[in-house]
Amino acid sequence: MSVGHRKGSAIFSGFRALGLYSNHLPHVVRYHKRHREFYVVTAVGKCFHTYNVKKLGIVAVSNALSGDITCLAADRMLVFVAHGTIVKAFARSKEVVHTYKGHNAEVHLLQPFGDHVISVDRDNVVVIWDVQSEEEYLQLIFDKMVFAVSAIMHPSTYLNKILLGSEQGGLQLWNVKSNKLLYTFSGWGSGVTVLQQAPAVDVIAVGLASGQIVIHNIKCDESLMKFQQDWGPITAISFRTDGHPVMAAGSPVGHIGLWDLDDKKLISQMRNAHTTAIAGMTFVHGEPLLITNGADNAIRVWIFDAPGGGGRLLRSRMGHSAPPTKIQHHGQNGQQILSAGQDGTLQSFSTVHERFNKSLGRGSINKKKSKKKGLQYDTMKLPPITAFASETARQSDWDGIIACHRGYLIATTWNYQKTSMGAYKLEPERFHKDRGLNVHATAVDITSCGNFGVVALSTGHIDVYNMQSGMHRGQYGKEKAHEGPVRGVAVCGLNQLTISVGADRLIKFWKFKSKELVHTATLSSSPASMLLHRDSGMLAVSLDDFSINIMDIETRKIVRKFSGHRGQINDMAFSPDGRWLVTASMDCTIRTWDLPSGCLVDCFLLDSAAVSITMSPTGDFLVSSHVDDVGIYLWSNNTLFNLVSLRPLPSDYEPPVVTLPGTCPAQDLDSPEVDEEPSDEMIEYESPEQLGEQLVTLSLLPDSRWKNLLNLDVIKKRNKPKEPPKVPKSAPFFIPTLPGLVPRFAVSEGQNAEEQSKIVNLGVLAQKSDFYMQLEDALVSNNYSSTVRLLKEMGPSRIETELRSLAPEGGGSLDVMQSFIRMIGSILDSKRDFDLAQAYLALFLKLHLKLISEESTLMEEAAKVLGPLEETWTHMQMLFSQSLCLLGYMKSALL
């Protein structure tokens, strides 16, 4: 498979999503008899989560669907979800077991009904399905102008009956078995939004779009009591079942009203239970617990144990209610991710477990006044955070996070351990007299020691503050550091340099302590942002022309320039080793640049642009946040556990579209498995035996096969046994067996033993070995490749035995010895196995040096080998000397 047809990212693959808990759909509460525990099910995008009510710990995540869930319901065994026109039933909160197709419009209401499930679509078609057979049992069609179905419920003890509410305000009671309309309720002049069964039989609660709640007896068609809420349409209703006659009603503004059914009055208000509409609300059966969820991405459990009838927050799971603006890892273990959202909050998400998540709250000018006014009328709240920096070095002593806010002059500090806003608001004194100027903080940084914070302003000023006292400790430049707004500021790891970049297209290097200007460099275009990798000293600057410049802060020169993005660069992240730079742009791509080679090595396209990215300090995850998405997405680094070949991508490379990861890895069960050809990027490179004919090549044999050939006599002497081996005791009567997986008895060869002679045949001892015969054949053919191959397969002791046997006194001949010397010459001529030729020749000379010196034919062959040997060795010595000289110069030279 070519590089241009890669199916996904080579480096990153989707792992999971963080910070997703709830959306605008109401939750469902289930009870597990065997576990004796309540579970709450919430919809999140294309899948649903199951949490236990006891600790709000996540229990299961369903497989992802092809579209977003539009409706959610559940009975004792199954969870029913609708996406588009299709209804699916999930078993064990994970896999799809039933699918119901037949609607032509989006399904927006579901009601489990014994062995059936009822679904209602936007075209006002009500379909009753048989759960097991997946067949349509009954279909009811209503006229939208007369009766537009807006709510559905099954009254308790009413066999085969369902109650439908309409946008026109009327109610209809149907018998689905006989397909008959039993009764029509005239209504109360407003559309029905909620139908809820009361603890009493025949009594239901009807929530209306006018904010009215009617407790109605459907048997007598009589309204028992009415309540009015002024917060808009009723969104959810629930009744306490633990002995207190209390009804809770939700509203679109996030308030909950608690009504006493005995005294028929309002007993308490739970204001701002959610920042958005109350989507779902359920009292746990027999317990004083209320579960609520909303579109603000939060699940909350309230307990009613205090006098006054109000509830207090017991536990919650919450993420951002608006998309994050900036994310960054906190600490060096890569387990905490700080995230600032458009909702004004600063939160910490754990990659290990949700119970380690923290919310540092939202910024406020005056905490006391904000608490008095409440969230709804809080004029003291700060705008969303646009940039922040964190350090863990002194976070146990004082604030370790500094942040700047959108369009706001004052920079704030935050305390991670106290999970709250910090003690100081950092504001320069020069603007105390006139705060009406359009001046705001644009960039911040904190030193690696955690003692100082640096704040850059849109006026070109850069100020330094002490994080412990909050006091102003100086500014860079006599009047201003830059003529225009400062786009980025960073402090090196040793607190020696402060680097700033401004809209005046200048990069300035300042001494951190004395505030003196050291160096100024000019950029080709106006900069947009800046990022410093402290360990490697590499400074990345993104420009308004969508290019990226990499500068080395030691030499203060631009060492790399990258171009290829087609939109504004939103964020950048370095890998922990400083080798990669990952960039995210408004062109919806995430690109990975390799700094040593200066090439683009990875690129993939997303459905929505990444607003912010950060790389884990351990290098295992890339984290991203996206436009109009409240989730935080983790991408695993494939190079940590797979062989990934990073080849430069061509300039016309078309990146593949990659879907965002779900809360758990999605399993594509519908697509058939196709046998794909392996990509050439994943095939390990196999080096040839010899790169070039002129190159001296060593063998791939281990050193133990040839390095000790000259010292075999010493090794044998050292390994000589101290006592003779003992004869093993023979078994008394067992029949001998042959070795193998299947046991077989050894047949005695009595007849052969009688015919065998006891006279030793000396001819057997004088047999020629394979190596000896191949040397004889090579004298004629002059081809020694098979002979060398056979010798390479032998062990050291076998090689010594074979070489000893080449001499005439060992049963050999001078011709075979001459053939062996020619074999060494052929190895040297081919320039292969140079180390083996040296070892074999050294052992041969050690064993037969006296005989070679006496025979003229052997001396002539040895002289022929001596020439190539000296020439090759002299050439290698020259290369070694040149390399050592160059290496010594590079080590001693001052760069």
Side-chain angles (χ1 to χ4, degrees):
M1 186 181 296
S2 64
V3 177
H5 293 83
R6 186 191 292 169
K7 283 197 170 181
S9 170
I11 300 178
F12 302 109
S13 59
F15 180 64
R16 61 171 299 201
L18 299 177
L20 295 175
Y21 298 103
S22 174
N23 61 9
H24 63 283
L25 299 179
H27 66 264
V28 179
V29 175
R30 309 174 69 196
Y31 180 70
H32 199 290
K33 285 187 177 180
R34 194 161 51 116
H35 295 171
R36 295 183 179 179
E37 193 170 1
F38 287 96
Y39 294 95
V40 57
V41 182
T42 60
V44 178
K46 298 180 181 180
C47 60
F48 62 86
H49 299 179
T50 304
Y51 300 88
N52 54 18
V53 176
K54 186 182 295 182
K55 294 184 178 180
L56 272 188
I58 191 163
V59 176
V61 178
S62 72
N63 295 335
L65 297 171
S66 58
D68 288 343
I69 296 175
T70 58
C71 192
L72 186 69
D75 62 7
R76 189 175 62 87
M77 298 298 294
L78 301 173
V79 176
F80 300 95
V81 298
H83 65 99
T85 61
I86 301 173
V87 180
K88 292 185 178 180
F90 283 78
R92 294 174 290 278
S93 299
K94 193 163 184 69
E95 66 265 10
V96 177
V97 291
H98 297 296
T99 303
Y100 311 95
K101 297 180 180 180
H103 284 283
N104 296 320
E106 181 183 284
V107 177
H108 69 105
L109 291 175
L110 284 174
Q111 174 66 46
F113 191 63
D115 295 333
H116 300 80
V117 61
I118 305 171
S119 58
V120 184
D121 63 20
R122 296 291 181 185
D123 287 345
N124 233 23
V125 178
V126 179
V127 180
I128 296 95
W129 307 88
D130 186 277
V131 172
Q132 296 300 324
S133 66
E134 303 178 7
E135 295 178 356
E136 186 179 304
Y137 176 78
L138 179 65
Q139 186 177 112
L140 304 174
I141 301 176
F142 297 89
D143 186 0
K144 278 188 178 182
M145 303 302 295
V146 179
F147 193 88
V149 179
S150 60
I152 184 172
M153 69 162 289
H154 165 57
S156 295
T157 71
Y158 279 59
L159 191 64
N160 300 324
K161 312 293 191 304
I162 60 169
L163 185 65
L164 303 176
S166 67
E167 295 177 2
Q168 288 77 14
L171 304 178
Q172 290 186 4
L173 184 67
W174 282 79
N175 187 321
V176 296
K177 188 173 183 180
S178 60
N179 190 15
K180 288 184 179 180
L181 175 62
L182 301 180
Y183 193 79
T184 301
F185 301 88
S186 59
W188 298 270
S190 180
V192 177
T193 57
V194 182
L195 291 175
Q196 180 65 38
Q197 175 69 51
V201 181
D202 302 327
V203 178
I204 64 167
V206 183
L208 304 178
S210 62
Q212 192 176 33
I213 308 162
V214 180
I215 310 298
H216 195 76
N217 189 316
I218 57 175
K219 184 176 183 180
C220 305
D221 191 9
E222 179 183 353
S223 296
L224 304 179
M225 57 189 81
K226 296 181 181 179
F227 305 103
Q228 178 68 41
Q229 289 187 174
D230 298 330
W231 300 322
I234 304 300
T235 58
I237 297 175
S238 186
F239 292 89
R240 286 184 69 171
T241 55
D242 59 339
H244 295 266
V246 175
M247 176 188 69
S251 66
V253 294
H255 303 331
I256 298 174
L258 299 172
W259 301 87
D260 191 320
L261 300 179
D262 283 346
D263 298 336
K264 301 180 182 179
K265 67 177 183 179
L266 181 70
I267 58 173
S268 181
Q269 298 179 32
M270 296 169 59
R271 288 183 172 267
N272 302 308
H274 288 268
T275 57
T276 59
I278 306 293
M281 190 166 52
T282 308
F283 275 104
V284 178
H285 184 73
E287 297 183 28
L289 296 178
L290 176 66
I291 304 171
T292 61
N293 79 298
D296 58 351
N297 195 21
I299 309 169
R300 293 184 170 94
V301 178
W302 310 83
I303 185 169
F304 294 82
D305 57 354
R312 64 177 177 89
L313 185 62
L314 180 63
R315 62 183 69 94
S316 66
R317 288 281 181 267
M318 57 180 290
H320 285 294
S321 58
T325 57
K326 175 71 176 176
I327 58 174
Q328 183 177 309
H329 275 89
H330 182 68
Q332 294 300 315
N333 58 6
Q335 295 178 359
Q336 287 85 30
I337 302 168
L338 284 175
S339 172
Q342 292 181 11
D343 54 2
T345 62
L346 182 63
Q347 300 192 29
S348 171
F349 294 96
S350 172
T351 60
V352 179
H353 197 277
E354 291 172 337
R355 67 172 179 268
F356 300 122
N357 291 0
K358 293 181 178 182
S359 176
L360 281 71
R362 75 174 295 149
S364 177
I365 301 174
N366 191 312
K367 286 185 180 180
K368 291 183 180 179
K369 289 184 180 179
S370 294
K371 288 183 179 179
K372 288 181 181 179
K373 292 187 176 183
L375 288 174
Q376 191 74 17
Y377 307 102
D378 186 7
T379 57
M380 294 289 175
K381 61 186 179 182
L382 289 172
I385 294 173
T386 56
F388 65 88
S390 69
E391 188 57 55
T392 59
R394 303 302 294 269
Q395 69 174 4
S396 58
D397 300 322
W398 51 76
D399 301 340
I401 303 172
I402 183 172
C404 60
H405 300 258
R406 180 181 300 159
Y408 202 69
L409 170 63
I410 299 174
T412 56
T413 62
W414 300 73
N415 196 303
Y416 183 81
Q417 290 200 336
K418 294 180 181 178
T419 63
S420 66
M421 192 174 170
Y424 304 111
K425 296 174 180 61
L426 310 178
E427 180 184 10
E429 294 182 358
R430 69 179 73 90
F431 297 111
H432 278 184
K433 295 181 180 179
D434 190 359
R435 294 188 179 182
L437 297 174
N438 186 19
V439 182
H440 60 274
T442 56
V444 293
D445 196 19
I446 188 170
T447 58
S448 57
C449 60
N451 290 320
F452 296 97
V454 183
V455 182
L457 304 179
S458 59
T459 55
H461 295 88
I462 301 176
D463 298 284
V464 182
Y465 297 89
N466 186 291
M467 294 295 292
Q468 182 180 6
S469 62
M471 296 179 65
H472 187 267
R473 291 302 185 193
Q475 68 176 30
Y476 292 96
K478 292 182 179 180
E479 293 184 2
K480 294 182 179 181
H482 292 269
E483 290 303 320
V486 181
R487 299 290 172 83
V489 64
V491 183
C492 71
L494 299 177
N495 289 6
Q496 298 296 315
L497 290 175
T498 300
I499 305 105
S500 63
V501 59
D504 53 3
R505 300 195 304 173
L506 296 179
I507 298 179
K508 295 187 177 182
F509 292 80
W510 313 81
K511 285 187 178 180
F512 176 77
K513 189 173 182 181
S514 63
K515 314 292 189 298
E516 296 178 8
L517 181 62
V518 178
H519 180 75
T520 302
T522 305
L523 295 169
S524 60
S525 178
S526 180
S529 62
M530 183 184 75
L531 178 67
L532 174 66
H533 187 257
R534 285 175 173 169
D535 293 341
S536 65
M538 290 295 156
L539 181 73
V541 182
S542 65
L543 306 180
D544 285 343
D545 61 359
F546 312 147
S547 64
I548 304 158
N549 287 356
I550 308 296
M551 176 177 280
D552 187 352
I553 65 172
E554 293 295 331
T555 60
R556 294 162 193 170
K557 294 181 179 179
I558 294 177
V559 293
R560 292 289 185 272
K561 290 185 178 181
F562 299 128
S563 61
H565 279 295
R566 300 174 184 174
Q568 172 191 333
I569 297 172
N570 292 331
D571 203 1
M572 301 179 290
F574 278 102
S575 61
D577 56 0
R579 183 180 180 89
W580 296 339
L581 177 68
V582 186
T583 57
S585 168
M586 286 304 292
D587 59 7
C588 296
T589 61
I590 293 181
R591 299 172 184 253
T592 304
W593 312 86
D594 186 67
L595 296 187
S597 64
C599 298
L600 175 67
V601 294
D602 187 62
C603 177
F604 60 96
L605 189 65
L606 296 165
D607 293 329
S608 61
V611 175
S612 182
I613 57 173
T614 176
M615 193 81 176
S616 168
T618 55
D620 48 0
F621 291 115
L622 173 72
V623 188
S624 64
S625 63
H626 298 265
V627 175
D628 296 333
D629 198 319
V630 296
I632 294 174
Y633 297 92
L634 271 62
W635 307 82
S636 57
N637 186 355
N638 296 333
T639 60
L640 296 182
F641 49 84
N642 271 340
L643 179 67
V644 178
S645 177
L646 297 179
R647 302 183 179 183
L649 299 181
S651 57
D652 59 346
Y653 175 72
E654 295 183 3
V657 179
V658 179
T659 57
L660 292 175
T663 316
C664 68
Q667 299 175 2
D668 193 2
L669 301 176
D670 299 331
S671 60
E673 295 184 0
V674 180
D675 294 334
E676 298 180 353
E677 296 180 0
S679 171
D680 59 352
E681 295 187 26
M682 299 305 296
I683 298 176
E684 186 176 359
Y685 173 73
E686 295 182 1
S687 175
E689 292 185 3
Q690 191 174 20
L691 296 177
E693 295 181 357
Q694 302 302 321
L695 297 177
V696 176
T697 308
L698 303 181
S699 69
L700 297 179
L701 290 181
D703 294 351
S704 59
R705 299 279 291 275
W706 57 269
K707 205 169 186 179
N708 297 319
L709 286 176
L710 291 177
N711 303 319
L712 280 179
D713 49 350
V714 180
I715 296 173
K716 289 181 179 179
K717 187 176 180 181
R718 186 182 61 194
N719 295 340
K720 186 178 180 180
K722 296 181 180 179
E723 56 182 11
K726 297 180 180 179
V727 180
K729 296 180 179 179
S730 59
F733 57 90
F734 295 108
I735 303 175
T737 56
L738 297 175
L741 296 176
V742 180
R744 291 179 297 171
F745 295 111
V747 181
S748 61
E749 300 177 354
Q751 63 275 15
N752 296 335
E754 294 178 359
E755 298 175 0
Q756 187 175 359
S757 173
K758 294 183 180 180
I759 300 174
V760 177
N761 184 5
L762 295 177
V764 176
L765 299 177
Q767 283 184 347
K768 298 178 181 179
S769 65
D770 294 339
F771 177 69
Y772 189 94
M773 290 188 291
Q774 288 198 16
L775 282 177
E776 286 183 332
D777 296 340
L779 275 173
V780 181
S781 62
N782 203 25
N783 183 8
Y784 290 95
S785 58
S786 60
T787 312
V788 175
R789 196 180 309 114
L790 181 63
L791 197 61
K792 288 167 69 174
E793 296 174 356
M794 299 180 186
S797 298
R798 175 78 181 277
I799 293 173
E800 187 195 31
T801 305
E802 291 287 355
L803 295 188
R804 283 187 185 274
S805 64
L806 297 181
E809 62 267 18
S813 65
L814 295 177
D815 293 339
V816 176
M817 294 181 69
Q818 184 181 1
S819 178
F820 181 83
I821 298 176
R822 288 181 182 177
M823 181 193 75
I824 299 296
S826 68
I827 297 177
L828 294 176
D829 292 340
S830 66
K831 296 189 182 299
R832 295 186 181 183
D833 302 325
F834 185 74
D835 48 351
L836 295 185
Q838 297 277 350
Y840 296 157
L841 183 59
L843 180 60
F844 183 76
L845 293 177
K846 178 182 177 182
L847 296 177
H848 310 297
L849 183 61
K850 186 177 179 181
L851 180 60
I852 294 173
S853 62
E854 295 173 353
E855 297 293 336
S856 59
T857 55
L858 297 181
M859 284 297 292
E860 291 176 2
E861 289 293 336
K864 294 179 182 178
V865 173
L866 180 61
L869 183 62
E870 286 183 342
E871 181 184 351
T872 306
W873 187 245
T874 303
H875 179 62
M876 290 188 66
Q877 275 189 327
M878 183 181 65
L879 293 177
F880 287 147
S881 300
Q882 289 178 353
S883 301
L884 289 173
C885 180
L886 180 62
L887 183 62
Y889 169 75
M890 293 179 64
K891 289 174 66 177
S892 60
L894 295 176
L895 295 179

